[in-house]
Amino acid sequence: LGPLSVPVPRCTEPPFRIVLSYPRESKEYAKRIVEQLMRLGVHALVFNIGSTRVGEVTILGKGHKAVVVLGESRFGRVACKIRRTDAVRDTLAHEAELLRRANAVGVGPRLYAASEDVLIMAYVEGEPLVKWLQSAEATQIRRVLATLLHQCYRLDQIGIDHGELSDPKEHVIVTGDGRPVIIDFESASVQRRPRNLTAITQFLILRPGAVSQHVRRVLDVANVQEVLSCLRAYKNAPSEPTFKQLLLHLGLETENQELKNKV
Ligand SMILES: Nc1ncnc2c1ncn2[C@@H]1O[C@H](COP(=O)(O)OP(=O)(O)O)[C@@H](O)[C@H]1O
Ligand SMILES: [Mg+2]
């Protein structure tokens, strides 16, 4: 069964209705979503792409707060994040605002448009970081991790705490052309003290397990204590010098230089 492109107005009918009003199927709610999708410039939803099953179709993804479906729109192919009927928050406005701020420093999928219950953003085609790490080459891994640490540093700098980077399961995707993209700013906050860089570094390097073992081997990190003290210094004084010191100890400062030259 190949991808199935369905005009948005038809999505209030089964078997698509449950996707637009998950998990409590409701024609009324689905109609509301259809109106918002149309208003935001989405004319069709594409099912049977992605590996998350909802009823009789598959979609890009599903979390505790939303479902994500591929869409065809005036912006081209997009990911449509649709608020679940049982979501704790009653709008996606908070996430839209934080994603917009993250976009301003080059982080996250580009946000094209947003309404109460729908976000229209760039479709990120790739693999979750942890899965990608298992088969990627060392040079690729170094480049992707350097870019990812820079993104976390920039988020720290603008005062946004992503909130889920200490265990980023599905929340960092590496694209086919080797770009890490941090997704899901639903749990992000400007109230908490940002700890994106320390969270991701702890996950990648320090937390015991297969992931950190692999990453430490690729980066040739012999002295974990040094990384730890770099992180402490950064925690105490998040700044360019303490960030650079961490990169240095991870052997990623030259990747940094390469990135700089490319810009
Ligand atoms: N822009 C995107 N492009 C492709 N897939 C996405 C995109 N955003 C989310 N997804 C997929 O949908 C899943 C759920 O999205 P997420 O934003 O985490 O929702 P929730 O806020 O409910 O946790 C993600 O784990 C991912 O697999
Ligand atoms: Mg999520």
Side-chain angles (χ1 to χ4, degrees), residues 187-246:
S187 309
S189 166
V190 290
Q191 313 295 334
R192 295 189 299 264
R193 179 178 175 161
R195 48 186 308 276
N196 304 294
L197 184 66
T198 51
I200 201 84
T201 307
Q202 258 151 17
F203 172 77
L204 289 169
I205 314 279
L206 301 173
R207 202 173 92 176
V211 173
S212 62
Q213 214 173 11
H214 182 50
V215 170
R216 282 204 304 267
R217 193 157 42 77
V218 169
L219 299 187
D220 200 17
V221 174
N223 194 338
V224 169
Q225 284 310 316
E226 273 180 5
V227 176
L228 206 60
S229 70
C230 284
L231 270 190
R232 277 205 202 96
Y234 178 83
K235 232 183 217 170
N236 291 335
S239 63
E240 182 93 12
T242 50
F243 173 51
K244 288 289 153 66
Q245 199 60 28
L246 174 68

CSV table of all heavy atoms in Angstrom, one decimal, residues 187-246:
chain,number,residue,atom,x,y,z
A,187,SER,N,7.2,20.8,25.6
A,187,SER,CA,7.6,20.9,27.0
A,187,SER,C,8.7,21.9,27.2
A,187,SER,O,9.2,22.0,28.3
A,187,SER,CB,8.1,19.5,27.4
A,187,SER,OG,7.3,18.5,27.1
A,188,ALA,N,9.0,22.8,26.3
A,188,ALA,CA,10.0,23.8,26.4
A,188,ALA,C,9.5,24.9,27.3
A,188,ALA,O,8.3,25.1,27.5
A,188,ALA,CB,10.4,24.3,25.1
A,189,SER,N,10.4,25.6,27.9
A,189,SER,CA,10.1,26.7,28.8
A,189,SER,C,11.1,27.8,28.9
A,189,SER,O,12.3,27.6,28.6
A,189,SER,CB,10.0,26.1,30.3
A,189,SER,OG,9.9,27.1,31.2
A,190,VAL,N,10.6,29.0,29.1
A,190,VAL,CA,11.5,30.1,29.3
A,190,VAL,C,11.6,30.5,30.8
A,190,VAL,O,12.3,31.4,31.2
A,190,VAL,CB,11.1,31.4,28.5
A,190,VAL,CG1,11.3,31.2,27.1
A,190,VAL,CG2,9.6,31.8,28.8
A,191,GLN,N,10.9,29.7,31.6
A,191,GLN,CA,10.9,29.9,33.1
A,191,GLN,C,12.0,29.1,33.8
A,191,GLN,O,12.7,29.6,34.7
A,191,GLN,CB,9.6,29.4,33.7
A,191,GLN,CG,8.3,29.9,33.0
A,191,GLN,CD,8.1,31.4,33.0
A,191,GLN,OE1,8.6,32.1,34.0
A,191,GLN,NE2,7.5,31.9,32.0
A,192,ARG,N,12.2,27.9,33.3
A,192,ARG,CA,13.3,27.1,33.9
A,192,ARG,C,14.6,27.6,33.4
A,192,ARG,O,14.8,28.2,32.4
A,192,ARG,CB,13.2,25.6,33.4
A,192,ARG,CG,11.9,24.9,33.9
A,192,ARG,CD,12.1,23.4,33.5
A,192,ARG,NE,12.2,23.2,32.1
A,192,ARG,CZ,11.2,22.9,31.3
A,192,ARG,NH1,10.0,22.7,31.8
A,192,ARG,NH2,11.4,22.7,30.0
A,193,ARG,N,15.7,27.3,34.2
A,193,ARG,CA,17.0,27.6,33.8
A,193,ARG,C,17.4,26.7,32.7
A,193,ARG,O,17.3,25.5,32.8
A,193,ARG,CB,17.9,27.4,35.0
A,193,ARG,CG,19.4,27.7,34.7
A,193,ARG,CD,20.2,27.6,35.9
A,193,ARG,NE,21.6,27.8,35.5
A,193,ARG,CZ,22.6,28.1,36.3
A,193,ARG,NH1,22.4,28.2,37.5
A,193,ARG,NH2,23.8,28.3,35.8
A,194,PRO,N,17.9,27.2,31.5
A,194,PRO,CA,18.2,26.3,30.4
A,194,PRO,C,19.3,25.4,30.7
A,194,PRO,O,20.4,25.8,31.2
A,194,PRO,CB,18.6,27.3,29.3
A,194,PRO,CG,18.2,28.7,29.8
A,194,PRO,CD,18.1,28.6,31.2
A,195,ARG,N,19.1,24.1,30.4
A,195,ARG,CA,20.2,23.2,30.6
A,195,ARG,C,20.2,22.2,29.4
A,195,ARG,O,20.4,21.0,29.6
A,195,ARG,CB,20.0,22.4,31.9
A,195,ARG,CG,18.6,21.9,32.2
A,195,ARG,CD,18.5,21.3,33.6
A,195,ARG,NE,19.6,20.3,33.9
A,195,ARG,CZ,19.5,19.0,33.5
A,195,ARG,NH1,18.5,18.6,32.8
A,195,ARG,NH2,20.5,18.2,33.8
A,196,ASN,N,20.1,22.8,28.2
A,196,ASN,CA,20.1,22.0,27.0
A,196,ASN,C,21.5,21.3,26.8
A,196,ASN,O,21.6,20.1,26.5
A,196,ASN,CB,19.7,22.8,25.8
A,196,ASN,CG,18.4,23.5,26.0
A,196,ASN,OD1,17.4,22.8,26.1
A,196,ASN,ND2,18.4,24.8,26.1
A,197,LEU,N,22.5,22.1,26.9
A,197,LEU,CA,23.9,21.6,26.6
A,197,LEU,C,24.3,20.6,27.6
A,197,LEU,O,24.8,19.5,27.2
A,197,LEU,CB,24.9,22.8,26.5
A,197,LEU,CG,26.3,22.4,26.1
A,197,LEU,CD1,26.4,21.9,24.7
A,197,LEU,CD2,27.3,23.5,26.3
A,198,THR,N,24.1,20.8,28.9
A,198,THR,CA,24.4,19.9,29.9
A,198,THR,C,23.6,18.6,29.8
A,198,THR,O,24.1,17.5,29.9
A,198,THR,CB,24.3,20.4,31.3
A,198,THR,OG1,23.0,21.0,31.5
A,198,THR,CG2,25.4,21.5,31.6
A,199,ALA,N,22.3,18.7,29.4
A,199,ALA,CA,21.4,17.6,29.3
A,199,ALA,C,21.9,16.7,28.2
A,199,ALA,O,22.0,15.5,28.3
A,199,ALA,CB,20.0,18.0,29.1
A,200,ILE,N,22.2,17.3,27.0
A,200,ILE,CA,22.5,16.4,25.9
A,200,ILE,C,23.9,15.8,26.0
A,200,ILE,O,24.1,14.7,25.7
A,200,ILE,CB,22.4,17.2,24.5
A,200,ILE,CG1,22.3,16.3,23.3
A,200,ILE,CG2,23.6,18.1,24.3
A,200,ILE,CD1,20.9,15.8,23.0
A,201,THR,N,24.8,16.6,26.7
A,201,THR,CA,26.2,16.0,26.9
A,201,THR,C,26.1,14.9,27.9
A,201,THR,O,26.8,13.9,27.7
A,201,THR,CB,27.1,17.1,27.4
A,201,THR,OG1,27.1,18.2,26.5
A,201,THR,CG2,28.6,16.6,27.5
A,202,GLN,N,25.3,15.1,29.0
A,202,GLN,CA,25.2,14.0,29.9
A,202,GLN,C,24.6,12.7,29.2
A,202,GLN,O,25.2,11.6,29.4
A,202,GLN,CB,24.2,14.4,31.0
A,202,GLN,CG,25.0,14.8,32.3
A,202,GLN,CD,24.2,15.8,33.1
A,202,GLN,OE1,23.0,16.0,33.0
A,202,GLN,NE2,24.9,16.4,34.1
A,203,PHE,N,23.7,12.9,28.4
A,203,PHE,CA,23.1,11.8,27.7
A,203,PHE,C,24.1,11.1,26.7
A,203,PHE,O,24.2,9.9,26.7
A,203,PHE,CB,21.8,12.2,26.9
A,203,PHE,CG,21.3,11.1,26.0
A,203,PHE,CD1,20.6,10.1,26.5
A,203,PHE,CD2,21.6,11.1,24.6
A,203,PHE,CE1,20.1,9.1,25.7
A,203,PHE,CE2,21.1,10.1,23.8
A,203,PHE,CZ,20.4,9.1,24.3
A,204,LEU,N,24.8,11.9,26.0
A,204,LEU,CA,25.7,11.4,24.9
A,204,LEU,C,27.0,10.8,25.5
A,204,LEU,O,27.6,9.9,24.9
A,204,LEU,CB,26.0,12.5,23.9
A,204,LEU,CG,24.9,12.9,23.0
A,204,LEU,CD1,25.3,14.2,22.2
A,204,LEU,CD2,24.5,11.8,22.0
A,205,ILE,N,27.5,11.4,26.6
A,205,ILE,CA,28.9,11.1,27.0
A,205,ILE,C,28.9,10.4,28.4
A,205,ILE,O,29.7,9.5,28.6
A,205,ILE,CB,29.7,12.4,27.1
A,205,ILE,CG1,29.6,13.2,25.8
A,205,ILE,CG2,31.2,12.0,27.4
A,205,ILE,CD1,30.4,12.8,24.6
A,206,LEU,N,28.1,10.9,29.3
A,206,LEU,CA,28.3,10.5,30.7
A,206,LEU,C,27.4,9.4,31.2
A,206,LEU,O,27.8,8.6,32.0
A,206,LEU,CB,28.2,11.8,31.6
A,206,LEU,CG,29.1,12.9,31.2
A,206,LEU,CD1,28.8,14.1,32.1
A,206,LEU,CD2,30.6,12.4,31.5
A,207,ARG,N,26.1,9.4,30.7
A,207,ARG,CA,25.2,8.5,31.2
A,207,ARG,C,25.6,7.0,30.8
A,207,ARG,O,25.8,6.8,29.7
A,207,ARG,CB,23.8,8.8,30.7
A,207,ARG,CG,22.7,8.2,31.6
A,207,ARG,CD,21.4,8.6,31.1
A,207,ARG,NE,20.8,7.7,30.1
A,207,ARG,CZ,19.6,7.8,29.6
A,207,ARG,NH1,18.8,8.8,29.9
A,207,ARG,NH2,19.1,6.9,28.8
A,208,PRO,N,25.7,6.1,31.8
A,208,PRO,CA,26.1,4.8,31.5
A,208,PRO,C,25.2,4.1,30.5
A,208,PRO,O,24.0,4.3,30.5
A,208,PRO,CB,26.1,4.0,32.8
A,208,PRO,CG,26.0,5.1,33.9
A,208,PRO,CD,25.4,6.3,33.2
A,209,GLY,N,25.8,3.4,29.5
A,209,GLY,CA,24.9,2.7,28.6
A,209,GLY,C,25.6,2.6,27.2
A,209,GLY,O,26.7,3.1,27.0
A,210,ALA,N,24.9,2.0,26.3
A,210,ALA,CA,25.5,1.7,25.0
A,210,ALA,C,25.7,3.0,24.2
A,210,ALA,O,26.7,3.1,23.5
A,210,ALA,CB,24.5,0.8,24.2
A,211,VAL,N,24.8,4.0,24.3
A,211,VAL,CA,25.0,5.2,23.5
A,211,VAL,C,26.3,5.9,23.9
A,211,VAL,O,27.1,6.2,23.0
A,211,VAL,CB,23.8,6.1,23.8
A,211,VAL,CG1,24.0,7.5,23.1
A,211,VAL,CG2,22.5,5.5,23.2
A,212,SER,N,26.5,6.2,25.2
A,212,SER,CA,27.6,6.9,25.6
A,212,SER,C,28.9,6.1,25.3
A,212,SER,O,29.9,6.7,25.0
A,212,SER,CB,27.5,7.3,27.1
A,212,SER,OG,27.5,6.2,27.9
A,213,GLN,N,28.8,4.9,25.5
A,213,GLN,CA,30.0,4.0,25.2
A,213,GLN,C,30.5,4.2,23.8
A,213,GLN,O,31.7,4.4,23.5
A,213,GLN,CB,29.7,2.6,25.5
A,213,GLN,CG,30.8,1.8,26.1
A,213,GLN,CD,30.3,0.4,26.5
A,213,GLN,OE1,29.2,-0.1,26.1
A,213,GLN,NE2,31.2,-0.4,27.1
A,214,HIS,N,29.5,4.1,22.9
A,214,HIS,CA,29.8,4.3,21.5
A,214,HIS,C,30.3,5.7,21.2
A,214,HIS,O,31.3,5.8,20.5
A,214,HIS,CB,28.5,4.0,20.7
A,214,HIS,CG,28.7,4.1,19.2
A,214,HIS,ND1,29.7,3.4,18.5
A,214,HIS,CD2,27.9,4.7,18.3
A,214,HIS,CE1,29.5,3.7,17.2
A,214,HIS,NE2,28.5,4.5,17.1
A,215,VAL,N,29.6,6.7,21.7
A,215,VAL,CA,30.0,8.1,21.4
A,215,VAL,C,31.4,8.4,22.0
A,215,VAL,O,32.3,9.0,21.3
A,215,VAL,CB,29.0,9.1,21.9
A,215,VAL,CG1,29.5,10.5,21.9
A,215,VAL,CG2,27.7,8.9,21.2
A,216,ARG,N,31.7,7.9,23.2
A,216,ARG,CA,33.0,8.1,23.8
A,216,ARG,C,34.1,7.5,22.9
A,216,ARG,O,35.2,8.0,22.8
A,216,ARG,CB,33.1,7.6,25.2
A,216,ARG,CG,32.4,8.4,26.2
A,216,ARG,CD,32.9,8.2,27.6
A,216,ARG,NE,32.8,6.7,28.0
A,216,ARG,CZ,31.8,6.2,28.7
A,216,ARG,NH1,30.8,7.0,29.1
A,216,ARG,NH2,31.8,4.9,28.9
A,217,ARG,N,33.8,6.3,22.4
A,217,ARG,CA,34.8,5.6,21.5
A,217,ARG,C,35.1,6.4,20.3
A,217,ARG,O,36.2,6.7,19.9
A,217,ARG,CB,34.3,4.2,21.2
A,217,ARG,CG,35.4,3.3,20.7
A,217,ARG,CD,35.1,1.8,20.9
A,217,ARG,NE,33.7,1.5,20.6
A,217,ARG,CZ,33.2,1.3,19.4
A,217,ARG,NH1,33.9,1.5,18.3
A,217,ARG,NH2,31.9,1.0,19.3
A,218,VAL,N,34.0,6.9,19.6
A,218,VAL,CA,34.1,7.6,18.4
A,218,VAL,C,34.9,8.9,18.6
A,218,VAL,O,35.7,9.3,17.8
A,218,VAL,CB,32.7,7.9,17.8
A,218,VAL,CG1,32.8,8.9,16.6
A,218,VAL,CG2,32.1,6.6,17.3
A,219,LEU,N,34.5,9.6,19.7
A,219,LEU,CA,35.2,10.9,20.0
A,219,LEU,C,36.5,10.7,20.7
A,219,LEU,O,37.2,11.7,20.9
A,219,LEU,CB,34.3,11.8,20.9
A,219,LEU,CG,32.9,12.2,20.3
A,219,LEU,CD1,32.2,13.2,21.2
A,219,LEU,CD2,33.0,12.8,18.9
A,220,ASP,N,36.8,9.5,21.0
A,220,ASP,CA,38.1,9.2,21.7
A,220,ASP,C,38.2,10.0,23.0
A,220,ASP,O,39.2,10.6,23.3
A,220,ASP,CB,39.3,9.5,20.8
A,220,ASP,CG,40.5,8.8,21.2
A,220,ASP,OD1,40.4,7.8,22.0
A,220,ASP,OD2,41.6,9.2,20.8
A,221,VAL,N,37.1,9.9,23.8
A,221,VAL,CA,37.1,10.6,25.1
A,221,VAL,C,37.7,9.6,26.1
A,221,VAL,O,37.1,8.6,26.5
A,221,VAL,CB,35.7,11.0,25.5
A,221,VAL,CG1,35.7,11.5,27.0
A,221,VAL,CG2,35.1,12.0,24.6
A,222,ALA,N,38.9,9.9,26.6
A,222,ALA,CA,39.5,9.0,27.6
A,222,ALA,C,39.2,9.4,29.0
A,222,ALA,O,39.0,8.6,29.8
A,222,ALA,CB,41.1,9.1,27.4
A,223,ASN,N,39.1,10.7,29.2
A,223,ASN,CA,38.9,11.2,30.6
A,223,ASN,C,37.6,11.8,30.8
A,223,ASN,O,37.3,13.0,30.5
A,223,ASN,CB,40.0,12.2,30.9
A,223,ASN,CG,40.1,12.5,32.4
A,223,ASN,OD1,39.2,12.3,33.1
A,223,ASN,ND2,41.3,13.0,32.8
A,224,VAL,N,36.7,11.0,31.4
A,224,VAL,CA,35.3,11.5,31.6
A,224,VAL,C,35.3,12.6,32.7
A,224,VAL,O,34.5,13.5,32.6
A,224,VAL,CB,34.4,10.3,32.0
A,224,VAL,CG1,33.1,10.8,32.5
A,224,VAL,CG2,34.2,9.4,30.8
A,225,GLN,N,36.2,12.5,33.6
A,225,GLN,CA,36.3,13.5,34.7
A,225,GLN,C,36.5,14.9,34.2
A,225,GLN,O,35.9,15.8,34.7
A,225,GLN,CB,37.4,13.1,35.7
A,225,GLN,CG,37.0,12.0,36.6
A,225,GLN,CD,35.7,12.2,37.3
A,225,GLN,OE1,35.4,13.2,37.8
A,225,GLN,NE2,34.9,11.1,37.4
A,226,GLU,N,37.3,15.0,33.1
A,226,GLU,CA,37.6,16.3,32.5
A,226,GLU,C,36.3,16.9,31.9
A,226,GLU,O,36.1,18.0,32.0
A,226,GLU,CB,38.7,16.2,31.5
A,226,GLU,CG,40.1,16.3,32.1
A,226,GLU,CD,41.2,16.2,31.1
A,226,GLU,OE1,40.9,16.1,29.9
A,226,GLU,OE2,42.3,16.3,31.5
A,227,VAL,N,35.6,16.0,31.2
A,227,VAL,CA,34.3,16.4,30.6
A,227,VAL,C,33.4,16.9,31.7
A,227,VAL,O,32.8,18.0,31.5
A,227,VAL,CB,33.7,15.3,29.8
A,227,VAL,CG1,32.3,15.7,29.2
A,227,VAL,CG2,34.6,14.8,28.7
A,228,LEU,N,33.3,16.2,32.7
A,228,LEU,CA,32.5,16.5,33.8
A,228,LEU,C,32.8,17.9,34.4
A,228,LEU,O,32.0,18.7,34.7
A,228,LEU,CB,32.6,15.4,34.9
A,228,LEU,CG,31.4,15.3,35.9
A,228,LEU,CD1,30.2,14.9,35.1
A,228,LEU,CD2,31.7,14.2,36.9
A,229,SER,N,34.1,18.1,34.6
A,229,SER,CA,34.5,19.4,35.2
A,229,SER,C,34.3,20.6,34.2
A,229,SER,O,33.9,21.7,34.6
A,229,SER,CB,36.0,19.4,35.7
A,229,SER,OG,36.8,19.3,34.6
A,230,CYS,N,34.4,20.3,32.9
A,230,CYS,CA,34.0,21.3,31.9
A,230,CYS,C,32.5,21.6,32.0
A,230,CYS,O,32.1,22.8,31.9
A,230,CYS,CB,34.3,20.8,30.4
A,230,CYS,SG,36.0,20.8,30.0
A,231,LEU,N,31.7,20.6,32.2
A,231,LEU,CA,30.3,20.8,32.3
A,231,LEU,C,29.9,21.6,33.5
A,231,LEU,O,29.1,22.5,33.5
A,231,LEU,CB,29.5,19.5,32.3
A,231,LEU,CG,29.1,18.9,31.0
A,231,LEU,CD1,28.2,17.7,31.3
A,231,LEU,CD2,28.4,19.9,30.1
A,232,ARG,N,30.7,21.3,34.6
A,232,ARG,CA,30.4,22.1,35.8
A,232,ARG,C,30.8,23.6,35.6
A,232,ARG,O,30.0,24.5,36.0
A,232,ARG,CB,31.3,21.5,37.0
A,232,ARG,CG,30.6,20.4,37.6
A,232,ARG,CD,31.0,20.1,39.0
A,232,ARG,NE,30.7,18.7,39.4
A,232,ARG,CZ,31.6,17.8,39.3
A,232,ARG,NH1,32.9,18.0,39.0
A,232,ARG,NH2,31.3,16.5,39.5
A,233,ALA,N,31.9,23.8,35.0
A,233,ALA,CA,32.3,25.2,34.7
A,233,ALA,C,31.3,25.9,33.8
A,233,ALA,O,30.9,27.1,34.1
A,233,ALA,CB,33.7,25.2,34.0
A,234,TYR,N,30.8,25.2,32.8
A,234,TYR,CA,29.7,25.7,32.0
A,234,TYR,C,28.4,26.0,32.7
A,234,TYR,O,27.8,27.1,32.6
A,234,TYR,CB,29.4,24.8,30.8
A,234,TYR,CG,28.4,25.3,29.9
A,234,TYR,CD1,28.7,26.3,28.9
A,234,TYR,CD2,27.0,24.9,30.0
A,234,TYR,CE1,27.7,26.8,28.0
A,234,TYR,CE2,26.0,25.4,29.2
A,234,TYR,CZ,26.4,26.4,28.2
A,234,TYR,OH,25.4,26.9,27.4
A,235,LYS,N,28.1,25.1,33.6
A,235,LYS,CA,26.9,25.3,34.4
A,235,LYS,C,27.0,26.5,35.3
A,235,LYS,O,26.0,27.3,35.4
A,235,LYS,CB,26.7,24.1,35.3
A,235,LYS,CG,25.3,23.4,35.3
A,235,LYS,CD,25.3,22.3,36.3
A,235,LYS,CE,24.5,21.1,35.8
A,235,LYS,NZ,24.7,19.9,36.7
A,236,ASN,N,28.1,26.7,35.9
A,236,ASN,CA,28.4,27.9,36.7
A,236,ASN,C,28.4,29.2,36.0
A,236,ASN,O,28.0,30.2,36.4
A,236,ASN,CB,29.7,27.7,37.5
A,236,ASN,CG,29.6,26.6,38.6
A,236,ASN,OD1,28.5,26.3,39.0
A,236,ASN,ND2,30.7,26.1,38.9
A,237,ALA,N,28.9,29.1,34.8
A,237,ALA,CA,29.0,30.3,33.9
A,237,ALA,C,28.9,30.0,32.5
A,237,ALA,O,29.8,29.8,31.7
A,237,ALA,CB,30.4,31.0,34.1
A,238,PRO,N,27.6,29.8,32.0
A,238,PRO,CA,27.3,29.5,30.6
A,238,PRO,C,27.8,30.6,29.7
A,238,PRO,O,27.3,31.7,29.8
A,238,PRO,CB,25.8,29.3,30.5
A,238,PRO,CG,25.3,29.3,32.0
A,238,PRO,CD,26.3,30.1,32.8
A,239,SER,N,28.8,30.4,28.9
A,239,SER,CA,29.4,31.4,28.1
A,239,SER,C,30.2,30.8,27.0
A,239,SER,O,30.5,29.6,27.0
A,239,SER,CB,30.3,32.3,29.0
A,239,SER,OG,31.4,31.5,29.4
A,240,GLU,N,30.6,31.6,26.0
A,240,GLU,CA,31.4,31.2,24.9
A,240,GLU,C,32.7,30.5,25.4
A,240,GLU,O,32.9,29.4,24.9
A,240,GLU,CB,31.7,32.4,24.0
A,240,GLU,CG,32.5,32.1,22.8
A,240,GLU,CD,31.6,31.9,21.5
A,240,GLU,OE1,30.4,32.2,21.6
A,240,GLU,OE2,32.1,31.4,20.5
A,241,PRO,N,33.4,31.1,26.3
A,241,PRO,CA,34.7,30.4,26.7
A,241,PRO,C,34.5,29.0,27.3
A,241,PRO,O,35.2,28.1,27.0
A,241,PRO,CB,35.3,31.4,27.7
A,241,PRO,CG,34.7,32.7,27.4
A,241,PRO,CD,33.3,32.4,26.9
A,242,THR,N,33.5,28.9,28.2
A,242,THR,CA,33.3,27.6,28.9
A,242,THR,C,32.7,26.6,27.9
A,242,THR,O,33.0,25.4,28.0
A,242,THR,CB,32.3,27.7,30.1
A,242,THR,OG1,31.1,28.4,29.8
A,242,THR,CG2,33.0,28.4,31.3
A,243,PHE,N,31.9,27.1,26.9
A,243,PHE,CA,31.4,26.2,25.9
A,243,PHE,C,32.5,25.7,25.0
A,243,PHE,O,32.6,24.5,24.7
A,243,PHE,CB,30.3,26.9,25.0
A,243,PHE,CG,29.9,26.2,23.8
A,243,PHE,CD1,29.4,24.9,23.9
A,243,PHE,CD2,29.9,26.8,22.6
A,243,PHE,CE1,29.0,24.2,22.8
A,243,PHE,CE2,29.4,26.1,21.4
A,243,PHE,CZ,29.0,24.8,21.5
A,244,LYS,N,33.4,26.6,24.6
A,244,LYS,CA,34.6,26.2,23.8
A,244,LYS,C,35.5,25.2,24.5
A,244,LYS,O,36.0,24.3,23.8
A,244,LYS,CB,35.4,27.5,23.3
A,244,LYS,CG,34.6,28.3,22.3
A,244,LYS,CD,34.6,27.7,21.0
A,244,LYS,CE,33.4,28.1,20.1
A,244,LYS,NZ,33.5,29.5,19.7
A,245,GLN,N,35.6,25.4,25.8
A,245,GLN,CA,36.4,24.5,26.6
A,245,GLN,C,35.9,23.1,26.5
A,245,GLN,O,36.6,22.1,26.4
A,245,GLN,CB,36.5,25.0,28.0
A,245,GLN,CG,37.6,24.5,28.8
A,245,GLN,CD,39.0,24.9,28.2
A,245,GLN,OE1,39.1,25.9,27.5
A,245,GLN,NE2,40.0,24.0,28.4
A,246,LEU,N,34.5,23.0,26.6
A,246,LEU,CA,33.9,21.7,26.5
A,246,LEU,C,34.1,21.0,25.1
A,246,LEU,O,34.5,19.9,25.0
A,246,LEU,CB,32.4,21.8,26.8
A,246,LEU,CG,31.6,20.5,26.6
A,246,LEU,CD1,31.9,19.5,27.6
A,246,LEU,CD2,30.1,20.8,26.6
